């Protein structure tokens, strides 16, 4: 049974605060083990990758080779159904089209003093994409991570994916090819992160690593951060559905379960101003659960972390939704746009009852890598900017320098930095050295 | 004596790689101590802040109060010279004007299938700014961190600054007021970071923490990351100057020393295609060092980490500069724009001999918080976007859903996520529940 919280209950504030504070995932303390793996890869390179893959993935990379061959890529594609490949192609095209709109503009202007200012965006020179093996090996995630990097103009996009018992998901390899990623290594875990960060004989290091992974991968990304860039560390996923009574409870129930089936640590929350509707959704969840192949996972997520929040009025929704800061927010009310406009914290908003979140997961074109676990308070979903960086540009001539130097020199002196002061003063006092 | 590397030497590649790999700062392992401090603040709130400030800052906050009063702010401003206040005001105005150009555009469009896509940028709801105490307490950094947050529209900007022996830098308080920051607490160290992340009786928690600090502050920021957002962890600062022989060696020497005087771990690098010019700069550095109040610091930085890289041709500069990925890059050559265009990795580029980096530190309007220690390969300087986040928006009607559902359902099935599939299918098969 999910929690049922009612804003008019006297204990609501405390119960809601406790609900927000719940930990949904206890990350195993794997720091020491991961540090040892990283050291091993730095010291022994490919040899360490081969030994660790034998140990953790039960696969002999000395025989198979670290890199997935063109022949294997071709075979993987042939192993996929046409229907799925076509769907992946539609998704890839839509993702590319949407993300192209995120390409930022360079800026350059001259102000009234004659100072030229601006900035220039450039792509990160190389990116490594981590893809989990086994059950969580999702082709859709390959597209969502690789295509924004390609749109950004990253010259080298590399993928790593473990092959437990030698197996690779053909759909993952097909998605990589659709996204234009052809440099793929069959390695995973902390050793793959170390190889991407520091390089080995076979694998040149990258400048940034993105993509989800287990506790070992997350710990390794934290440890190599600084040497390379990383994306955010993904936590368990969640959906908040704000729905009034003018909805089919079965639709809303299916949306809550689509979230819950990901993972027992996933969270599905319904917020409604109608208790009877809430009960109808709860009953529909119970019915649908029995029909789902992943019903055990979804059922555990729903009963342990699920919640129904009963509002006195939909007017209470924005403030509470901002505190939840959901990764996914569906709004199925009479005027969903008005409610959406009042919300600050959400990874993505799905507006109106005909916009189930799964459309965003797969095909809409927007990114499904979104801030989880309340981090939408301060971070954004994955996008093109995550694969670019901005270089600030500044250009003065002698006249502009003469205008700006005095206050800059005053501040340098106030901060006790006389060499800073000198580097302006010396230009005002002595010739450039450049033949005029 | 700084290193002298010559690209035509047979050992150059190895020497340059070793140079890039040098560690300039060994971070003390303060993780356990910091974790204990954070736990203490979470458990005891204000009481812990008072005890820890007594211990580390030798100041009695039970008597003084945690928050800096309006009276103190007023007195601080009166204690500053008019010249400095005026300079701070010029800087503040220019920083605000420049950063307003970074405000991002929202997006909303309908594609050919009838799907509405877009995104909306919103400000982070609250931001904490860490300002170091003592020597590194720079008013210019207060402006550089606080003003972009204000321009972004952050409703609540809070500052923390330790007051060792009860002392606060009046310029720091004056800069905070100029930037519109009035909620200021006289706390520092890991305890201040913990208070900002988790809140205490007096201090409401924030959503993001920015600003530089010592090893304790950096470790605390790493530990609270996830609960709150953080900016990048600042490393020691560096400048790369690319200069041909048509320069006054004294100008270039002053620029190298302006970097070196920050910190013994700072790094100043000259890259030139003229050995004689390089030697002239080296001699000028030696002369100027004797005149500088912080000559000991600058001298140690220059002799331990300084370097002169002699090129066969300026054509070699871009590839090497990209590997250095300097925080600050000055280009003083005959055609500095052409060289600038060929460089991918730099935090900020100062174009032409009349653009000393110190102008960017203080007054140009661009941000002086820039990616250090080679992180310009994957990250950008501080800006307005660091105080905003993007919410993805998606809206379909029944017709658009009917168009997109089939490929989405194919992908859901391929990934084994049947509840995802169901949440689209059920909409195609059953009525909405909404009165039509």
């Amino acid at each position: 049974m999910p929690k049922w919280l009612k804003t008019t209950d006297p204990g609501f504030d405390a119960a809601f605060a406790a609900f927000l504070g719940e930990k949904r995932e206890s990350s195993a303390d794997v720091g020491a083990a991961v540090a040892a793996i990283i050291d091993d890869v730095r010291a022994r390179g490919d040899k360490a990758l081969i030994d660790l893959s034998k140990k953790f993935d039960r696969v002999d990379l000395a025989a198979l080779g670290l890199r997935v061959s063109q022949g294997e890529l071709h075979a993987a594609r042939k192993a996929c159904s046409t229907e799925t490949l076509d769907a992946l192609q539609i998704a890839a095209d839509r993702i590319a089209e949407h993300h192209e709109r995120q390409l930022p503009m360079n800026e350059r202007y001259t102000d009234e003093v004659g100072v030229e200012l601006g900035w220039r965006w450039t792509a990160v020179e190389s990116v490594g994409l981590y893809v989990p093996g086994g059950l969580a090996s999702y082709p859709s995630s390959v597209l969502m991570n690789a295509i924004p990097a390609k749109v950004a103009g990253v010259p080298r996009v590399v993928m790593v994916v473990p092959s437990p018992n030698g197996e690779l998901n053909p759909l993952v390899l097909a998605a990589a090819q659709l996204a234009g990623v052809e440099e793929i290594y069959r390695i995973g875990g902390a050793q793959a992160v170390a190889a991407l960060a520091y390089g080995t004989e076979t694998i040149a290091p990258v400048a940034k690593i993105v993509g989800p992974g287990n506790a070992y991968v997350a710990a390794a990304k934290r440890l190599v951060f600084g040497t390379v860039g990383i994306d955010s560390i993904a936590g368990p996923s969640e959906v908040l559905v704000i729905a009034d009574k003018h909805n089919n409870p079965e639709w809303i129930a299916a949306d809550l379960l689509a979230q819950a089936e990901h993972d027992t640590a996933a969270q599905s929350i319904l917020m409604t101003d109608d208790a009877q509707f809430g009960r109808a959704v709860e009953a529909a969840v119970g019915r649908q659960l029995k029909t789902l192949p992943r019903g055990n996972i979804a059922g555990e997520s729903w009963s342990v972390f699920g919640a129904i929040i009963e509002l006195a009025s939909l007017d209470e929704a924005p403030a509470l939704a901002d505190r939840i800061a959901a990764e996914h927010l569906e709004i199925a009310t009479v005027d969903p746009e008005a409610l959406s406009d009042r919300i600050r914290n959400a990874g993505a908003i799905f507006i109106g009852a005909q916009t189930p979140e799964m459309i965003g997961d797969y095909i809409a074109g927007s990114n499904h890598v979104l801030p989880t676990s309340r981090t939408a308070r301060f971070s954004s979903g994955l996008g093109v900017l995550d694969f670019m960086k901005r270089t600030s540009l500044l250009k003065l001539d002698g006249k502009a320098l003469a205008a700006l130097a005095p206050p800059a020199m005053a501040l340098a002196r106030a901060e006790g930095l006389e060499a800073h002061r000198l580097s302006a003063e010396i230009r005002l006092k002595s010739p450039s050295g450049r033949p005029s």
Side-chain angles (χ1 to χ4, degrees), chain A residues 4 243-245 271-279 310-311:
Chain A
W4 190 296
D244 59 24
K245 66 183 174 187
M271 203 177 266
T272 183
D273 58 346
D274 189 285
Q276 198 182 334
F277 177 74
R279 282 189 294 272
E310 185 187 333
L311 308 176

Side-chain angles (χ1 to χ4, degrees), chain A residues 239-278:
Chain A
V239 72
L240 166 63
V241 182
I242 304 176
D244 59 24
K245 66 183 174 187
H246 305 295
N247 279 284
N248 183 335
E250 301 286 344
W251 292 21
I252 304 301
D255 297 354
L256 295 170
L257 287 170
Q259 190 60 45
E261 77 171 336
H262 269 295
D263 185 351
T264 55
Q267 181 165 57
S268 303
I269 307 169
L270 170 64
M271 203 177 266
T272 183
D273 58 346
D274 189 285
Q276 198 182 334
F277 177 74

Side-chain angles (χ1 to χ4, degrees), chain A residues 113-343:
Chain A
V113 187
V115 180
E116 283 185 56
L117 297 108
W119 57 79
R120 184 170 74 209
W121 289 92
T122 46
V124 173
E125 61 201 1
S126 52
V127 166
L129 163 56
Y130 190 94
V131 177
L135 270 183
S137 189
Y138 293 135
S140 59
S141 291
V142 173
L143 299 182
M144 293 290 178
N145 281 277
I147 292 174
K150 285 285 181 178
V151 169
V154 175
R156 176 173 169 246
V157 181
V158 186
M159 190 172 112
V160 294
V161 54
S163 63
N165 302 311
E167 282 170 31
L168 287 169
N169 180 347
L171 283 169
V172 160
L173 297 184
Q177 291 171 84
L178 281 182
V181 179
E182 306 244 316
E183 184 181 345
I184 304 172
Y185 301 97
R186 63 185 112 226
I187 53 173
Q191 60 271 25
V193 174
L196 290 172
Y198 294 102
T200 69
E201 300 89 327
T202 302
I203 304 173
V206 300
K208 183 160 185 170
I209 302 174
V210 300
N214 63 17
Y216 286 81
V217 172
K221 280 168 69 180
R222 275 184 196 271
L223 282 174
V224 301
F225 174 55
T227 299
V228 297
I230 62 169
D231 57 353
S232 55
I233 308 280
S237 191
E238 70 264 335
V239 72
L240 166 63
V241 182
I242 304 176
D244 59 24
K245 66 183 174 187
H246 305 295
N247 279 284
N248 183 335
E250 301 286 344
W251 292 21
I252 304 301
D255 297 354
L256 295 170
L257 287 170
Q259 190 60 45
E261 77 171 336
H262 269 295
D263 185 351
T264 55
Q267 181 165 57
S268 303
I269 307 169
L270 170 64
M271 203 177 266
T272 183
D273 58 346
D274 189 285
Q276 198 182 334
F277 177 74
R279 282 189 294 272
V281 171
E282 199 178 351
V285 166
R287 283 191 300 276
Q288 291 181 19
L289 264 176
K290 293 179 194 143
T291 72
L292 292 173
R294 292 168 71 96
N296 284 345
I297 293 171
E300 186 176 337
S301 158
W302 176 241
S303 64
V304 177
F305 297 115
I308 296 175
I309 300 176
E310 185 187 333
L311 308 176
S313 147
L314 284 178
D315 225 37
E316 298 172 333
L320 296 175
D322 276 347
R323 289 177 67 192
I324 294 171
E327 180 190 12
H328 307 105
L329 170 61
E330 286 187 14
I331 306 181
T333 59
V334 170
D335 189 355
E337 292 276 2
L339 201 50
S340 166
D341 286 345
R342 291 173 60 198
I343 285 167

Side-chain angles (χ1 to χ4, degrees), chain A residues 70-83 85 170-171 173-175 177:
Chain A
Q70 283 296 325
E72 288 172 285
L73 290 178
H74 187 70
R77 203 168 163 130
K78 287 189 70 175
C80 300
S81 79
T82 310
E83 187 197 16
L85 285 178
L171 283 169
L173 297 184
Q177 291 171 84

Side-chain angles (χ1 to χ4, degrees), chain A residues 24-38:
Chain A
R24 285 188 279 142
E25 207 174 45
S26 58
S27 48
D29 187 9
V30 297
V34 165
I37 290 171
I38 292 174

